[in-house]
PDB file of all heavy atoms in Angstrom:
ATOM      1  N   PHE A  84     -52.439  37.547  21.463  1.00 97.00           N
ATOM      2  CA  PHE A  84     -53.198  36.722  22.400  1.00 97.00           C
ATOM      3  C   PHE A  84     -53.726  37.629  23.494  1.00 97.00           C
ATOM      4  O   PHE A  84     -52.996  38.497  23.988  1.00 97.00           O
ATOM      5  CB  PHE A  84     -52.304  35.659  23.040  1.00 97.00           C
ATOM      6  CG  PHE A  84     -51.853  34.605  22.081  1.00 97.00           C
ATOM      7  CD1 PHE A  84     -50.705  34.776  21.331  1.00 97.00           C
ATOM      8  CD2 PHE A  84     -52.593  33.447  21.908  1.00 97.00           C
ATOM      9  CE1 PHE A  84     -50.291  33.799  20.426  1.00 97.00           C
ATOM     10  CE2 PHE A  84     -52.192  32.468  21.003  1.00 97.00           C
ATOM     11  CZ  PHE A  84     -51.036  32.648  20.274  1.00 97.00           C
ATOM     12  N   ASP A 123     -54.836  35.404  17.339  1.00 98.00           N
ATOM     13  CA  ASP A 123     -55.220  34.049  17.708  1.00 98.00           C
ATOM     14  C   ASP A 123     -56.717  34.079  18.003  1.00 98.00           C
ATOM     15  O   ASP A 123     -57.185  34.922  18.766  1.00 98.00           O
ATOM     16  CB  ASP A 123     -54.449  33.620  18.956  1.00 98.00           C
ATOM     17  CG  ASP A 123     -54.806  32.209  19.385  1.00 98.00           C
ATOM     18  OD1 ASP A 123     -54.253  31.269  18.805  1.00 98.00           O
ATOM     19  OD2 ASP A 123     -55.641  32.056  20.296  1.00 98.00           O
ATOM     20  N   CYS A 125     -59.574  31.969  19.623  1.00 96.00           N
ATOM     21  CA  CYS A 125     -59.864  30.803  20.448  1.00 96.00           C
ATOM     22  C   CYS A 125     -60.692  31.248  21.651  1.00 96.00           C
ATOM     23  O   CYS A 125     -60.764  32.433  21.944  1.00 96.00           O
ATOM     24  CB  CYS A 125     -58.566  30.138  20.916  1.00 96.00           C
ATOM     25  SG  CYS A 125     -58.853  28.424  21.456  1.00 96.00           S
ATOM     26  N   CYS A 127     -60.328  29.550  24.779  1.00 94.00           N
ATOM     27  CA  CYS A 127     -59.823  28.952  26.031  1.00 94.00           C
ATOM     28  C   CYS A 127     -59.390  29.966  27.083  1.00 94.00           C
ATOM     29  O   CYS A 127     -59.512  29.701  28.273  1.00 94.00           O
ATOM     30  CB  CYS A 127     -58.726  27.926  25.753  1.00 94.00           C
ATOM     31  SG  CYS A 127     -57.248  28.589  24.982  1.00 94.00           S
ATOM     32  N   CYS A 135     -61.185  25.035  24.506  1.00 95.00           N
ATOM     33  CA  CYS A 135     -61.167  25.883  23.309  1.00 95.00           C
ATOM     34  C   CYS A 135     -62.546  26.033  22.657  1.00 95.00           C
ATOM     35  O   CYS A 135     -62.702  26.780  21.699  1.00 95.00           O
ATOM     36  CB  CYS A 135     -60.150  25.346  22.310  1.00 95.00           C
ATOM     37  SG  CYS A 135     -58.489  25.232  23.028  1.00 95.00           S
ATOM     38  N   SER A 170     -57.279  28.717  16.480  1.00 96.00           N
ATOM     39  CA  SER A 170     -56.423  27.684  17.082  1.00 96.00           C
ATOM     40  C   SER A 170     -57.221  26.672  17.890  1.00 96.00           C
ATOM     41  O   SER A 170     -56.660  25.842  18.582  1.00 96.00           O
ATOM     42  CB  SER A 170     -55.380  28.343  17.991  1.00 96.00           C
ATOM     43  OG  SER A 170     -56.002  28.961  19.104  1.00 96.00           O
ATOM     44  N   LYS A 200     -52.621  20.928  14.586  1.00 97.00           N
ATOM     45  CA  LYS A 200     -52.213  21.304  15.937  1.00 97.00           C
ATOM     46  C   LYS A 200     -52.297  20.071  16.822  1.00 97.00           C
ATOM     47  O   LYS A 200     -53.360  19.472  16.969  1.00 97.00           O
ATOM     48  CB  LYS A 200     -53.130  22.413  16.466  1.00 97.00           C
ATOM     49  CG  LYS A 200     -52.767  22.868  17.866  1.00 97.00           C
ATOM     50  CD  LYS A 200     -53.618  24.051  18.301  1.00 97.00           C
ATOM     51  CE  LYS A 200     -53.271  24.463  19.724  1.00 97.00           C
ATOM     52  NZ  LYS A 200     -54.131  25.557  20.193  1.00 97.00           N
ATOM     53  N   PHE A 205     -45.586  20.639  24.889  1.00 97.00           N
ATOM     54  CA  PHE A 205     -44.754  21.828  24.654  1.00 97.00           C
ATOM     55  C   PHE A 205     -45.532  23.147  24.779  1.00 97.00           C
ATOM     56  O   PHE A 205     -44.979  24.200  24.541  1.00 97.00           O
ATOM     57  CB  PHE A 205     -44.100  21.730  23.265  1.00 97.00           C
ATOM     58  CG  PHE A 205     -42.999  20.711  23.200  1.00 97.00           C
ATOM     59  CD1 PHE A 205     -43.266  19.388  22.881  1.00 97.00           C
ATOM     60  CD2 PHE A 205     -41.679  21.070  23.476  1.00 97.00           C
ATOM     61  CE1 PHE A 205     -42.245  18.449  22.825  1.00 97.00           C
ATOM     62  CE2 PHE A 205     -40.658  20.140  23.420  1.00 97.00           C
ATOM     63  CZ  PHE A 205     -40.940  18.820  23.095  1.00 97.00           C
ATOM     64  N   TYR A 206     -46.820  23.069  25.126  1.00 96.00           N
ATOM     65  CA  TYR A 206     -47.596  24.296  25.350  1.00 96.00           C
ATOM     66  C   TYR A 206     -47.602  24.718  26.822  1.00 96.00           C
ATOM     67  O   TYR A 206     -48.272  25.701  27.182  1.00 96.00           O
ATOM     68  CB  TYR A 206     -49.065  24.140  24.912  1.00 96.00           C
ATOM     69  CG  TYR A 206     -49.288  23.637  23.515  1.00 96.00           C
ATOM     70  CD1 TYR A 206     -50.390  22.835  23.222  1.00 96.00           C
ATOM     71  CD2 TYR A 206     -48.425  23.974  22.479  1.00 96.00           C
ATOM     72  CE1 TYR A 206     -50.626  22.368  21.937  1.00 96.00           C
ATOM     73  CE2 TYR A 206     -48.645  23.499  21.187  1.00 96.00           C
ATOM     74  CZ  TYR A 206     -49.739  22.692  20.923  1.00 96.00           C
ATOM     75  OH  TYR A 206     -49.968  22.224  19.652  1.00 96.00           O
ATOM     76  N   PHE A 209     -46.983  28.404  27.877  1.00 92.00           N
ATOM     77  CA  PHE A 209     -48.012  29.271  27.292  1.00 92.00           C
ATOM     78  C   PHE A 209     -49.271  29.250  28.145  1.00 92.00           C
ATOM     79  O   PHE A 209     -49.890  30.282  28.401  1.00 92.00           O
ATOM     80  CB  PHE A 209     -48.360  28.808  25.879  1.00 92.00           C
ATOM     81  CG  PHE A 209     -49.558  29.502  25.286  1.00 92.00           C
ATOM     82  CD1 PHE A 209     -49.403  30.614  24.476  1.00 92.00           C
ATOM     83  CD2 PHE A 209     -50.857  29.052  25.550  1.00 92.00           C
ATOM     84  CE1 PHE A 209     -50.515  31.262  23.940  1.00 92.00           C
ATOM     85  CE2 PHE A 209     -51.963  29.695  25.011  1.00 92.00           C
ATOM     86  CZ  PHE A 209     -51.787  30.809  24.206  1.00 92.00           C
ATOM     87  N   ARG A 210     -49.661  28.067  28.587  1.00 89.00           N
ATOM     88  CA  ARG A 210     -50.922  27.968  29.346  1.00 89.00           C
ATOM     89  C   ARG A 210     -50.799  28.703  30.660  1.00 89.00           C
ATOM     90  O   ARG A 210     -51.762  29.320  31.115  1.00 89.00           O
ATOM     91  CB  ARG A 210     -51.285  26.510  29.570  1.00 89.00           C
ATOM     92  CG  ARG A 210     -51.723  25.871  28.265  1.00 89.00           C
ATOM     93  CD  ARG A 210     -52.204  24.468  28.449  1.00 89.00           C
ATOM     94  NE  ARG A 210     -52.412  23.850  27.150  1.00 89.00           N
ATOM     95  CZ  ARG A 210     -52.555  22.548  26.965  1.00 89.00           C
ATOM     96  NH1 ARG A 210     -52.520  21.733  28.006  1.00 89.00           N
ATOM     97  NH2 ARG A 210     -52.743  22.077  25.758  1.00 89.00           N
ATOM     98  N   ARG A 222     -56.938  18.231  26.143  1.00 94.00           N
ATOM     99  CA  ARG A 222     -57.418  18.683  24.837  1.00 94.00           C
ATOM    100  C   ARG A 222     -57.394  17.584  23.770  1.00 94.00           C
ATOM    101  O   ARG A 222     -57.449  17.857  22.581  1.00 94.00           O
ATOM    102  CB  ARG A 222     -56.560  19.860  24.349  1.00 94.00           C
ATOM    103  CG  ARG A 222     -56.509  21.059  25.289  1.00 94.00           C
ATOM    104  CD  ARG A 222     -56.296  22.344  24.503  1.00 94.00           C
ATOM    105  NE  ARG A 222     -55.742  23.457  25.244  1.00 94.00           N
ATOM    106  CZ  ARG A 222     -56.397  24.155  26.165  1.00 94.00           C
ATOM    107  NH1 ARG A 222     -57.634  23.829  26.503  1.00 94.00           N
ATOM    108  NH2 ARG A 222     -55.811  25.168  26.761  1.00 94.00           N
ATOM    109  N   GLN A 226     -57.471  18.332  19.806  1.00 95.00           N
ATOM    110  CA  GLN A 226     -56.136  18.469  19.221  1.00 95.00           C
ATOM    111  C   GLN A 226     -55.624  17.094  18.784  1.00 95.00           C
ATOM    112  O   GLN A 226     -56.065  16.061  19.283  1.00 95.00           O
ATOM    113  CB  GLN A 226     -55.181  19.114  20.235  1.00 95.00           C
ATOM    114  CG  GLN A 226     -55.624  20.529  20.604  1.00 95.00           C
ATOM    115  CD  GLN A 226     -54.703  21.206  21.590  1.00 95.00           C
ATOM    116  OE1 GLN A 226     -53.840  20.559  22.195  1.00 95.00           O
ATOM    117  NE2 GLN A 226     -54.882  22.501  21.775  1.00 95.00           N
ATOM    118  N   LYS A 253     -48.098  22.936  14.230  1.00 98.00           N
ATOM    119  CA  LYS A 253     -47.739  23.350  15.584  1.00 98.00           C
ATOM    120  C   LYS A 253     -47.762  22.149  16.513  1.00 98.00           C
ATOM    121  O   LYS A 253     -48.729  21.393  16.459  1.00 98.00           O
ATOM    122  CB  LYS A 253     -48.770  24.377  16.036  1.00 98.00           C
ATOM    123  CG  LYS A 253     -48.565  24.916  17.416  1.00 98.00           C
ATOM    124  CD  LYS A 253     -49.719  25.789  17.787  1.00 98.00           C
ATOM    125  CE  LYS A 253     -49.543  26.168  19.232  1.00 98.00           C
ATOM    126  NZ  LYS A 253     -50.694  26.847  19.751  1.00 98.00           N
ATOM    127  N   TYR A 276     -45.286  26.984  14.157  1.00 98.00           N
ATOM    128  CA  TYR A 276     -45.295  27.746  15.411  1.00 98.00           C
ATOM    129  C   TYR A 276     -44.286  27.116  16.369  1.00 98.00           C
ATOM    130  O   TYR A 276     -44.470  26.009  16.850  1.00 98.00           O
ATOM    131  CB  TYR A 276     -46.704  27.718  16.005  1.00 98.00           C
ATOM    132  CG  TYR A 276     -46.974  28.717  17.116  1.00 98.00           C
ATOM    133  CD1 TYR A 276     -48.190  29.398  17.176  1.00 98.00           C
ATOM    134  CD2 TYR A 276     -46.040  28.986  18.121  1.00 98.00           C
ATOM    135  CE1 TYR A 276     -48.469  30.312  18.185  1.00 98.00           C
ATOM    136  CE2 TYR A 276     -46.304  29.899  19.134  1.00 98.00           C
ATOM    137  CZ  TYR A 276     -47.520  30.560  19.162  1.00 98.00           C
ATOM    138  OH  TYR A 276     -47.796  31.455  20.168  1.00 98.00           O
ATOM    139  N   VAL A 278     -43.217  26.841  19.603  1.00 98.00           N
ATOM    140  CA  VAL A 278     -44.065  27.124  20.767  1.00 98.00           C
ATOM    141  C   VAL A 278     -43.293  27.387  22.060  1.00 98.00           C
ATOM    142  O   VAL A 278     -42.072  27.283  22.113  1.00 98.00           O
ATOM    143  CB  VAL A 278     -45.089  25.997  20.989  1.00 98.00           C
ATOM    144  CG1 VAL A 278     -46.010  25.866  19.786  1.00 98.00           C
ATOM    145  CG2 VAL A 278     -44.410  24.685  21.336  1.00 98.00           C
ATOM    146  N   SER A 279     -44.082  27.656  23.094  1.00 98.00           N
ATOM    147  CA  SER A 279     -43.530  28.169  24.349  1.00 98.00           C
ATOM    148  C   SER A 279     -42.432  27.305  24.967  1.00 98.00           C
ATOM    149  O   SER A 279     -41.365  27.808  25.323  1.00 98.00           O
ATOM    150  CB  SER A 279     -44.655  28.411  25.356  1.00 98.00           C
ATOM    151  OG  SER A 279     -45.449  27.257  25.544  1.00 98.00           O
ATOM    152  N   TYR A 318     -41.171  33.213  19.519  1.00 98.00           N
ATOM    153  CA  TYR A 318     -40.849  34.165  20.581  1.00 98.00           C
ATOM    154  C   TYR A 318     -39.418  34.693  20.438  1.00 98.00           C
ATOM    155  O   TYR A 318     -39.043  35.637  21.114  1.00 98.00           O
ATOM    156  CB  TYR A 318     -41.034  33.504  21.956  1.00 98.00           C
ATOM    157  CG  TYR A 318     -42.437  32.960  22.153  1.00 98.00           C
ATOM    158  CD1 TYR A 318     -42.725  31.612  21.928  1.00 98.00           C
ATOM    159  CD2 TYR A 318     -43.482  33.811  22.510  1.00 98.00           C
ATOM    160  CE1 TYR A 318     -44.020  31.122  22.070  1.00 98.00           C
ATOM    161  CE2 TYR A 318     -44.768  33.329  22.655  1.00 98.00           C
ATOM    162  CZ  TYR A 318     -45.033  31.974  22.432  1.00 98.00           C
ATOM    163  OH  TYR A 318     -46.317  31.502  22.562  1.00 98.00           O
TER     164      TYR A 318
HETATM  165  C1  PBG B   1     -54.815  28.123  22.680  1.00 64.40           C
HETATM  166  C2  PBG B   1     -53.426  28.144  22.176  1.00 64.40           C
HETATM  167  C3  PBG B   1     -52.359  27.425  22.703  1.00 64.40           C
HETATM  168  C4  PBG B   1     -51.214  27.857  22.007  1.00 64.40           C
HETATM  169  C5  PBG B   1     -51.630  28.783  21.070  1.00 64.40           C
HETATM  170  N1  PBG B   1     -53.013  28.938  21.173  1.00 64.40           N
HETATM  171  C6  PBG B   1     -52.290  26.472  23.814  1.00 64.40           C
HETATM  172  C7  PBG B   1     -53.129  25.268  23.806  1.00 64.40           C
HETATM  173  O1  PBG B   1     -53.726  24.877  22.792  1.00 64.40           O
HETATM  174  O2  PBG B   1     -53.206  24.673  24.862  1.00 64.40           O
HETATM  175  C8  PBG B   1     -49.810  27.410  22.279  1.00 64.40           C
HETATM  176  C9  PBG B   1     -48.752  28.441  22.134  1.00 64.40           C
HETATM  177  C10 PBG B   1     -47.456  28.126  22.783  1.00 64.40           C
HETATM  178  O3  PBG B   1     -47.285  27.135  23.510  1.00 64.40           O
HETATM  179  O4  PBG B   1     -46.518  28.921  22.561  1.00 64.40           O
HETATM  180  N2  PBG B   1     -55.793  27.784  21.835  1.00 64.40           N
END
Side-chain angles (χ1 to χ4, degrees):
F84 291 88
D123 180 82
C125 199
C127 63
C135 303
S170 66
K200 180 175 178 183
F205 287 89
Y206 308 147
F209 171 95
R210 289 185 189 165
R222 303 209 202 288
Q226 297 181 348
K253 180 186 173 188
Y276 194 139
V278 299
S279 54
Y318 303 97

